[in-house]
Amino acid sequence: MLRDILNDSFTKIVVDDELLYLDIVDFVRDIAPDLESIVKLHDSATPIFQKYGVERQIKSSFGKTVMMDKGSYLIVEHTEAMHVVDVNSGNASDKKQSQEENSFRVNIQAASEIARQLRLRDMGGIIVIDFIDMKGAENRKKLYEHMKNEMADDRAKHKILPLSRFGLMQITRQRFRPERNIKTKEKDPSLVHKGETDAPITLISRIEEDVKRIADKHKSFSIHVHPFIAAYLTKGIWSLRRKWMWKYKVKINVQPRDSFKYLEYKYFTPDNKEIND
């Protein structure tokens, strides 16, 4: 793997097996001596995936919904014939910008994330992307050029077509190996609902994005969630709630709601008005 992808952009290579660590040090010393110092041995009692949040990233990145900054997100659907990606702005609107400017900003961000998702999942065949509509021909051209630049380093053979009249971009991509199909759902612990549901860890990522956004306008608010999620947010002295309060300089109250579904959540101001912006 290092032979194929190692380059100057790497800042750290962490290994949790001592023998493998020594092998990698020797290998990197031979092919890229300047990068030998970035190879590190992980000898902590904390598992390496937990230490660096790998499991959380896997569940967040390989699910049907992929969250981006400021509330925007992607919906990734797989069919027998093709892959379809829908770009949604969510709450990622800036009142200082026009609708066209907001759409362009979200589309540019989405293009970068989509290029990353194609490599992560090794998606191949036909990929159709439904970007947010833009009227400006110059913006449509910039988006097309940006996508080409983002995929320039993709080792898979691919072809990108400009946006159609309906705002759709078509990509064909060669697949190196079977597509990544990672299970991201978990057993629903609720006694009311049976079957599987989205992993709570992906919900936490979405809530933190909302907290970051809401903190710009409200310095105090409440998060109403299912009791299971409330317990997770408030567990321990340095709970997630406390970390977010310190990180975003905001006062947060977590309110358990027995009537809420497992992954349901809402935000309220101190005077009990729901926050929807």
Side-chain angles (χ1 to χ4, degrees):
M1 184 174 66
L2 289 173
R3 180 194 62 201
D4 292 338
I5 68 174
L6 182 63
N7 57 46
D8 293 338
S9 68
F10 278 56
T11 58
K12 187 183 291 187
I13 301 170
V14 187
V15 192
D16 63 354
D17 181 276
E18 188 171 1
L19 292 178
L20 182 59
Y21 163 75
L22 295 174
D23 285 344
I24 290 177
V25 168
D26 290 338
F27 181 74
V28 173
R29 184 186 297 130
D30 290 340
I31 66 168
D34 294 342
L35 298 180
E36 179 185 345
S37 62
I38 71 173
V39 184
K40 307 293 182 183
L41 176 64
H42 177 79
D43 56 1
S44 170
T46 305
I48 189 169
F49 272 22
Q50 182 176 337
K51 171 73 174 179
Y52 293 97
V54 175
E55 291 178 349
R56 177 176 180 176
Q57 292 183 56
I58 287 174
K59 288 185 179 294
S60 298
S61 298
F62 286 82
K64 177 180 176 180
T65 303
V66 180
M67 300 302 298
M68 300 187 294
D69 290 341
K70 298 183 178 180
S72 56
Y73 60 95
L74 307 175
I75 299 294
V76 183
E77 297 275 9
H78 306 278
T79 70
E80 290 295 324
M82 67 181 70
H83 305 283
V84 180
V85 182
D86 185 31
V87 179
N88 293 273
S89 60
N91 295 314
S93 61
D94 188 339
K95 294 181 179 179
K96 296 180 181 179
Q97 296 181 321
S98 66
Q99 182 177 348
E100 179 79 5
E101 290 171 330
N102 277 313
S103 298
F104 177 69
R105 177 175 54 80
V106 173
N107 283 338
I108 289 292
Q109 180 187 19
S112 299
E113 181 60 31
I114 290 168
R116 175 173 173 266
Q117 289 293 322
L118 295 183
R119 293 191 295 270
L120 278 176
R121 305 180 190 221
D122 200 15
M123 293 166 60
I126 300 174
I127 301 107
V128 177
I129 307 166
D130 183 9
F131 284 104
I132 301 173
D133 289 340
M134 297 184 298
K135 297 180 179 179
E138 184 64 24
N139 286 338
R140 295 159 68 94
K141 182 179 179 181
K142 287 180 180 178
L143 177 60
Y144 171 60
E145 294 297 332
H146 180 75
M147 177 60 84
K148 289 201 299 182
N149 290 335
E150 288 294 308
M151 294 191 64
D153 294 332
D154 194 331
R155 294 183 297 121
K157 186 182 296 184
H158 60 272
K159 184 175 183 180
I160 306 171
L161 297 182
L163 285 166
S164 71
R165 292 173 56 191
F166 301 106
L168 302 177
M169 180 180 289
Q170 300 176 64
I171 299 175
T172 58
R173 184 178 183 275
Q174 181 187 31
R175 185 184 298 139
F176 283 109
R177 58 188 71 86
E179 181 189 344
R180 296 284 186 267
N181 186 17
I182 294 178
K183 184 179 177 66
T184 62
K185 290 184 177 290
E186 297 179 359
K187 184 177 179 180
D188 190 339
S190 172
L191 297 177
V192 179
H193 306 284
K194 295 182 179 180
E196 293 183 328
T197 185
D198 289 338
I201 203 165
T202 63
L203 173 73
I204 301 306
S205 296
R206 294 201 295 270
I207 291 178
E208 182 173 4
E209 285 295 329
D210 288 342
V211 167
K212 180 180 178 182
R213 173 178 53 82
I214 293 172
D216 290 337
K217 300 179 181 179
H218 304 275
K219 294 306 176 184
S220 178
F221 62 91
S222 298
I223 306 174
H224 291 217
V225 289
H226 187 281
F228 290 170
I229 305 300
Y232 182 79
L233 292 176
T234 57
K235 180 181 178 182
I237 297 177
W238 274 103
S239 63
L240 281 173
R241 180 185 74 95
R242 188 177 294 272
K243 289 179 180 178
W244 292 344
M245 288 173 63
W246 180 84
K247 183 177 181 180
Y248 300 112
K249 305 295 186 295
V250 65
K251 183 178 180 181
I252 302 173
N253 176 47
V254 176
Q255 180 65 48
R257 296 284 298 273
D258 293 331
S259 61
F260 274 28
K261 296 179 181 178
Y262 184 44
L263 299 182
E264 184 179 358
Y265 58 96
K266 293 181 180 180
Y267 307 98
F268 291 88
T269 61
D271 56 354
N272 210 32
K273 293 181 180 179
E274 186 173 354
I275 301 173
N276 293 313
D277 55 344

